[in-house]
Amino acid sequence: MDVRRADERYRGGDPAAGIESLHAFSFGPHYDPDNLRFGAVLACNEERLAPGAGFDEHPHSHTEIVTWVVEGELTHRDSTGHESLVRPGDVQRLSSAGGIRHVERNDGGTPLRFVQMWLAPLRPGGDPLYEVVHGIADSTPYAVPEAGAMLHVRRLAPGRRTAIPDAPFLYAHVVRGEVLLGGAEVLAEGDSARVTDAKDLEAVARGSAELLLWEMG
């Protein structure tokens, strides 16, 4: 189990433009050859956008992009004609495949915070795909077969225990609160853990907590 703390993330964005970014992996100008990926996960970025701020149209290709909104509303528009509002509890996925362009903005009147995770596809190319699952339940895993990965959302009441999926590669990111992972490590908000050959692990909430788990082969 390799634990990475919230304050170890690379700081990016453009605060003057209302964009604050924290990167758990090598990203953009923050190149780190020892921190390029774990399993299929290429990036785990926490983004905070002030009202009216956002990312203008930009391209992606050969990446599975999964977004989890923590607070506020994310406006998405892409070059295939999709436009949607993504709210807390929704899972958004953009499969950029052979190439797509999109816009991400906070068009609301309150701050927006979201976690965006990039995964490497098993095979390059193909046609772009976009979908939103509104109000995903804790008991409903979200599959990204193109990357051989499964996302599990855990929203835990104080003291509640939850099983961690057994997997060759397991990536855990704490969105809010604190959890005791595997009986050994306390992870606080923004902390993450990279577990190889995860087996018979559980997480216990210390207070209310929200946890994202990637199960990967």
Side-chain angles (χ1 to χ4, degrees), residues 1-169:
M1 185 185 299
D2 178 10
V3 173
R4 307 291 178 106
R5 299 299 177 186
D7 60 4
E8 296 175 332
R9 294 176 292 181
Y10 313 105
R11 190 171 294 276
D14 183 356
I19 302 172
E20 296 183 14
S21 305
L22 293 167
H23 307 296
F25 290 83
S26 179
F27 197 89
H30 302 287
Y31 178 68
D32 182 350
D34 297 322
N35 190 23
L36 295 177
R37 67 185 288 176
F38 178 75
V41 179
L42 301 171
C44 181
N45 303 333
E46 182 180 332
E47 307 285 0
R48 295 173 184 263
L49 303 183
F55 301 101
D56 294 332
E57 187 174 86
H58 57 281
H60 289 283
S61 62
H62 312 305
T63 312
E64 301 294 317
I65 303 171
V66 179
T67 303
W68 177 257
V69 174
V70 183
E71 59 186 23
E73 292 183 343
L74 172 65
T75 296
H76 166 93
R77 292 191 296 274
D78 66 48
S79 54
T80 64
H82 293 103
E83 182 169 350
S84 60
L85 278 179
V86 189
R87 300 180 174 90
D90 298 344
V91 172
Q92 173 187 259
R93 176 162 68 106
L94 177 64
S95 180
S96 61
I100 196 170
R101 302 181 67 85
H102 75 152
V103 174
E104 297 167 299
R105 297 196 56 81
N106 178 7
D107 289 332
T110 60
L112 166 64
R113 176 185 165 208
F114 62 93
V115 178
Q116 188 169 90
M117 297 150 288
W118 296 14
L119 285 77
L122 298 174
R123 289 169 293 278
D127 296 322
L129 178 145
Y130 177 79
E131 67 178 1
V132 178
V133 178
H134 296 289
I136 193 167
D138 285 7
S139 58
T140 306
Y142 180 76
V144 184
E146 291 83 355
M150 189 92 70
L151 176 64
H152 302 262
V153 178
R154 296 288 187 267
R155 285 160 286 201
L156 305 173
R160 181 181 164 194
R161 298 172 179 268
T162 186
I164 301 297
D166 294 345
F169 297 98

